[in-house]
Amino acid sequence: MSGKTTIYDIAKALNITAATVSRALNNNPKISQSTRKLVLETANKMNYKQNKLALALRSGKSNNVGVIVPRINTNFFASVIRGIEEGLHPEGYQVIICQTHEDEDREVENVNTLLNAQVDGIFMSISNLPKENNHYIERVIQKNIPLIFFDRKKEMKNVSSVTIDDYLASYQTTQHLIEQGCKKIAYFSGDRSLEIYEDRYRGYEQALLDNNIPINEDYIISIKSNVVEGRDAVEKLLALENPPNAIFSTSDFAALGAIQKLKEHGIKIPEDFCVFGFGNEPFTKFMELSISTIDQSPLEMGKMAAQVFLDKINNKKSESKVILSPKLLIRQSSTRIS
Amino acid sequence: MSGKTTIYDIAKALNITAATVSRALNNNPKISQSTRKLVLETANKMNYKQNKLALALRSGKSNNVGVIVPRINTNFFASVIRGIEEGLHPEGYQVIICQTHEDEDREVENVNTLLNAQVDGIFMSISNLPKENNHYIERVIQKNIPLIFFDRKKEMKNVSSVTIDDYLASYQTTQHLIEQGCKKIAYFSGDRSLEIYEDRYRGYEQALLDNNIPINEDYIISIKSNVVEGRDAVEKLLALENPPNAIFSTSDFAALGAIQKLKEHGIKIPEDFCVFGFGNEPFTKFMELSISTIDQSPLEMGKMAAQVFLDKINNKKSESKVILSPKLLIRQSSTRIS
């Protein structure tokens, strides 16, 4: 009778009601531990398959949550996901993950995939979004499924977010580089249509202005977060008539590429040139010349996002906007004066 | 009428049959491009929500596949997942990911989560499994959902797998270290209850035997794949009366920790001591002393796994066991003689 056993068969075998069987199978706290054990054993013996999906369709609760990230293979996103898992697994939630590879269409597909999988909540760090197309996000909101942005957020009603203070991180870093004697600070920017990158740029700009250093447009280079782009950007900067003597890279990977290329040109770090990254990827610490960077507390960010979700479903808070403080990690690549 | 539009409403509005609407919404090739466009536009205007999950329950096809890995934050697993995505996304599949953190209970939960999400296939690199409990894997097989193991597999009927030749990788690495003049080769082993780690150990052992080098049990250290365990293992090895002069670590992270600790002891690499890793994590190339390692072709492994899945659902092959060749990357940390 594979696959055809019902809760009524189990109830009959144990001489209890079907309602009791159902409650036992669904971990209802009203059922004693011994009854639950008995039901589970019998269900197992009778090859009973609980159709959790049908259950989810009825109850509207799957105990799964979804996480959408640009990519899983950075320490930052992996750690946020770990934080979400640590926050939600003890509450009985399973976490399923999708990645967009920074592709907007993929992001829409991911949201639909998670909605189709009946998730109870979606955590999302958005990829590059044109401002018009929010249809798929609004679909989540309409369905009343908690949506929590982390790191890369979009300012939207009814959507919670957990971020760090990117403006402050960037302001403090630029200030630090100026204090180290660098006045010609190049800046590697991410896509400024994303709020976090716009905020970071503004922090850089304001720190320069506050120190009476004019903005040099030649020093501002738009990059993708990888080693090759960092190397290429340094080639461009060194070809300038008036090259910079510091780089603030909003990507650790690009900072690493920059350091490689600077060394190939015989430039001494930090004596001749300071470099500062962003994200505290593990390799920044492992390098023989350790790389200064900004820690975004990803584990805490994930745990906080989990808490925001729990507060929402438990009707404690309908919306939260949490902003965490950044931590500057000043290491060898930017330390002339300690 | 939010959320309540049916295909009959759309059919009525367009004066076509509900069957045509349904086919258009489900990308049936019998429907012309222009009709499909019209139906989709109208469905959108009328705020029609297709219940894909209900559809999946009826058709038994969700166009989602699941991937279960021990953890997402290593280049190896992230790259295999990318390969699976590259192989399946063009075929209309979405990939959802779960991680076990090497926890067996979590692995069981992940499988259930994916089954509940109605995935059409499961790709899995197993965590530490006791040999008895295959119940949850057998549930996948019974449901006739293609299951493809990659890297960390278990020899099972009706389960395909894509792996590299771990025995060969290990044999060749040990042989290389011997050719570099190292006869006292320590070995950092993963959990040998997993086939890949058992195969790697056998390769190391056989290469030593073939070179008439006796096995020294003191040199064999069981580690977890992280930097700290590599550092600790070196402390143990250097405390031996007869310490080794090479380490073959089945984890790049532990190899990195070993190198850090050896340097702290003033030991010169590769002159006094050779180190070889496993996995080709990106940092192994970036280090100032680049780390020799083994590339496991993760992108190809993922693409191959995707192909195995497609062959299975298209009834071309019911089972495949694919073994890829490892690639030794001999870098500075083990090159005395080039």
Side-chain angles (χ1 to χ4, degrees), chain B residues 85-101:
Chain B
E85 288 178 336
E86 286 185 7
L88 293 184
H89 192 255
E91 305 292 323
Y93 286 93
Q94 298 297 315
V95 174
I96 59 185
I97 307 156
C98 295
Q99 55 182 344
T100 66
H101 299 289

Side-chain angles (χ1 to χ4, degrees), chain A residues 119-273:
Chain A
V119 292
D120 296 336
I122 294 178
F123 298 80
M124 187 166 167
S125 198
I126 57 173
S127 296
N128 308 329
L129 275 188
K131 301 196 166 42
E132 317 79 59
N133 180 10
N134 279 332
H135 186 72
Y136 67 106
I137 291 181
E138 268 150 22
R139 198 173 150 218
V140 179
I141 300 168
Q142 274 171 20
K143 277 176 167 261
N144 209 20
I145 290 170
L147 176 62
I148 296 110
F149 287 142
F150 60 90
D151 188 45
R152 297 170 167 206
K153 76 173 206 297
K154 206 176 161 62
E155 198 52 51
M156 284 181 83
K157 255 196 153 179
N158 296 316
V159 181
S160 294
S161 62
V162 183
T163 52
I164 65 157
D165 191 334
D166 284 285
Y167 173 87
L168 184 66
S170 205
Y171 187 95
Q172 289 179 339
T173 298
T174 309
Q175 186 67 38
H176 157 76
L177 289 169
I178 294 167
E179 283 162 11
Q180 296 295 310
C182 304
K183 299 210 165 176
K184 299 193 286 179
I185 304 168
Y187 179 79
F188 291 177
S189 177
D191 181 343
R192 279 168 57 190
S193 70
L194 286 171
E195 279 184 25
I196 56 162
Y197 290 118
E198 179 58 22
D199 289 350
R200 289 179 196 177
Y201 177 75
R202 285 194 308 105
Y204 161 76
E205 190 180 48
Q206 193 60 48
L208 291 182
L209 292 176
D210 289 353
N211 286 276
N212 299 312
I213 300 171
I215 309 289
N216 182 340
E217 290 295 338
D218 290 341
Y219 288 175
I220 296 159
I221 299 188
S222 187
I223 51 125
K224 288 197 177 108
S225 178
N226 65 53
V227 173
V228 174
E229 299 243 337
R231 296 176 61 92
D232 293 349
V234 164
E235 285 293 3
K236 274 186 217 156
L237 291 171
L238 294 183
L240 292 174
E241 244 178 70
N242 178 26
N245 57 11
I247 290 170
F248 173 25
S249 168
T250 54
S251 151
D252 278 340
F253 296 94
L256 173 61
I259 288 172
Q260 287 177 351
K261 184 59 86 176
L262 288 165
K263 279 188 180 170
E264 286 169 25
H265 279 273
I267 293 168
K268 285 201 182 107
I269 303 166
E271 296 84 346
D272 303 331
F273 209 109

Side-chain angles (χ1 to χ4, degrees), chain A residues 260-313:
Chain A
Q260 287 177 351
K261 184 59 86 176
L262 288 165
K263 279 188 180 170
E264 286 169 25
H265 279 273
I267 293 168
K268 285 201 182 107
I269 303 166
E271 296 84 346
D272 303 331
F273 209 109
C274 288
V275 178
F276 214 104
F278 207 117
N280 196 20
E281 285 294 320
F283 67 80
T284 58
K285 196 169 81 180
F286 297 148
M287 304 302 294
E288 295 192 13
L289 175 90
S290 61
I291 304 176
S292 298
T293 188
I294 295 151
D295 188 68
Q296 301 171 276
S297 309
L299 198 66
E300 290 70 31
M301 189 181 278
K303 285 182 186 171
M304 186 59 75
Q307 192 54 52
V308 167
F309 166 77
L310 293 171
D311 286 349
K312 168 98 178 169
I313 57 163

Side-chain angles (χ1 to χ4, degrees), chain B residues 3-54:
Chain B
K4 285 178 181 170
T5 306
T6 68
I7 57 167
Y8 300 98
D9 301 322
I10 301 167
K12 209 172 161 187
L14 291 173
N15 198 22
I16 56 178
T17 67
T20 304
V21 173
S22 170
R23 286 193 194 107
L25 291 171
N26 293 307
N27 291 321
N28 186 314
K30 283 182 189 161
I31 303 300
S32 74
Q33 204 55 41
S34 58
T35 304
R36 181 173 305 142
K37 198 162 166 275
L38 190 65
V39 168
L40 287 176
E41 282 171 4
T42 310
N44 217 6
K45 266 187 227 149
M46 294 175 75
N47 205 15
Y48 172 72
K49 307 272 179 291
Q50 193 175 17
N51 191 336
K52 282 213 184 172
L53 193 70

Side-chain angles (χ1 to χ4, degrees), chain A residues 85 89 101 109 263 288, chain B residues 85 89 101 109 263 288:
Chain A
E85 289 177 336
H89 192 254
H101 299 288
E109 290 168 0
K263 279 188 180 170
E288 295 192 13
Chain B
E85 288 178 336
H89 192 255
H101 299 289
E109 290 168 358
K263 280 187 181 171
E288 296 193 14

Side-chain angles (χ1 to χ4, degrees), chain A residues 2 44 47 49-54 56-57 64 72-75 77-79 81-82 85 89 93-99 101 106 109-110 112-118 135 139 142-143 227 253 256 260 263 283 285-289, chain B residues 2 44 47 49-54 56-57 64 72-75 77-79 81-82 85 89 93-99 101 106 109-110 112-118 135 139 142-143 227 253 256 260 263 283 285-289:
Chain A
S2 163
N44 217 7
N47 205 15
K49 307 273 178 290
Q50 193 174 15
N51 192 335
K52 282 213 184 170
L53 194 68
L57 278 173
N64 296 333
I72 53 175
N73 67 337
T74 67
N75 184 63
F77 288 119
S79 300
I81 293 170
R82 187 171 188 123
E85 289 177 336
H89 192 254
Y93 287 94
Q94 298 297 315
V95 174
I96 60 184
I97 307 155
C98 295
Q99 56 182 344
H101 299 288
R106 205 67 87 87
E109 290 168 0
N110 285 344
N112 290 332
T113 296
L114 292 176
L115 291 179
N116 292 336
Q118 302 287 99
H135 186 72
R139 198 173 150 218
Q142 274 171 20
K143 277 176 167 261
V227 173
F253 296 94
L256 173 61
Q260 287 177 351
K263 279 188 180 170
F283 67 80
K285 196 169 81 180
F286 297 148
M287 304 302 294
E288 295 192 13
L289 175 90
Chain B
S2 163
N44 217 6
N47 205 15
K49 307 272 179 291
Q50 193 175 17
N51 191 336
K52 282 213 184 172
L53 193 70
L57 277 173
N64 296 333
I72 53 175
N73 67 339
T74 66
N75 184 64
F77 287 120
S79 301
I81 292 169
R82 188 174 187 121
E85 288 178 336
H89 192 255
Y93 286 93
Q94 298 297 315
V95 174
I96 59 185
I97 307 156
C98 295
Q99 55 182 344
H101 299 289
R106 204 69 84 88
E109 290 168 358
N110 284 344
N112 290 333
T113 296
L114 293 176
L115 290 178
N116 292 338
Q118 302 287 100
H135 185 70
R139 198 172 149 222
Q142 273 172 20
K143 277 178 167 262
V227 173
F253 296 95
L256 174 61
Q260 287 177 349
K263 280 187 181 171
F283 67 79
K285 196 171 80 179
F286 297 148
M287 304 302 293
E288 296 193 14
L289 175 91

